[in-house]
Amino acid sequence: VAEAEEELADAAAYLRLSKKLPMPQATAARQMAQQEQSHAACLKGINTMITGRKPMVPPPVPADDPPDIVLRRCYGREMRCLAQYEARQNDPQYGHVFRSLARQEQEHCHRILEIFGAISK
C-alpha cells in the first residue's frame, strides 16, 4: 500500500507539472501521470487479491513547489519504488507484474532527467 501511495503522489505531481511545463515536457508529464495511476491500480489489485479487501489509500496532496523541486522529489519516489519492485520481481504469482513496473520506473527516471535537463537554466 505504501508504494501505491507513492505512485499516486507522483501521478498528482506529474499532472500538476504538466500544467506548468512547456511542450513537449508537458506531454511527457501527462503520460507519466497516467502510467503512475495505472501502477497504483495494479498495486491495489495485487493487495486485494492477497488480502481479499480493497486497500484504503489516501488521496495525495501535491505541493505547489517549483518544477525543479517537484522533479527531485519525484525522482526519489521513483527510485524507492524501483527498488521495491526489483526486490519483488521473483514473486511466484506477481513477479512478472513487478518486473514490468520496475521497467516503467526506470523509464520514468530517464524521462525526469530529460525534463530536468530541458528546463534547467
Side-chain angles (χ1 to χ4, degrees):
V1 177
E3 289 96 356
E5 286 182 43
E6 293 212 318
E7 296 287 11
L8 290 174
D10 277 344
Y14 294 142
L15 195 57
R16 182 171 276 219
L17 267 178
S18 74
K19 296 172 181 157
K20 295 180 177 185
L21 294 173
M23 292 296 199
Q25 290 81 23
T27 301
R30 263 192 306 282
Q31 289 171 343
M32 287 193 301
Q34 291 170 342
Q35 289 171 339
E36 296 292 29
Q37 289 170 343
S38 173
H39 294 181
C42 280
L43 294 167
K44 290 193 279 186
I46 290 170
N47 188 278
T48 303
M49 292 283 284
I50 292 170
T51 66
R53 294 184 317 273
K54 184 177 178 183
M56 301 304 293
V57 180
V61 181
D64 194 25
D65 291 320
D68 63 320
I69 291 172
V70 174
L71 289 168
R72 288 175 196 270
R73 197 173 294 134
C74 287
Y75 190 84
R77 281 193 298 259
E78 296 284 6
M79 290 299 293
R80 281 192 298 279
C81 287
L82 173 59
Q84 289 294 319
Y85 303 152
E86 285 178 337
R88 298 168 76 182
Q89 61 188 349
N90 292 324
D91 181 279
Q93 282 188 293
Y94 305 107
H96 63 287
V97 175
F98 289 116
R99 278 190 295 280
S100 175
L101 292 173
R103 278 192 304 276
Q104 284 192 333
E105 296 298 358
Q106 288 173 334
E107 199 175 292
H108 290 177
C109 288
H110 183 99
R111 291 177 97 182
I112 288 169
L113 295 174
E114 282 181 348
I115 292 169
F116 199 79
I119 65 169
S120 296
K121 295 176 178 137

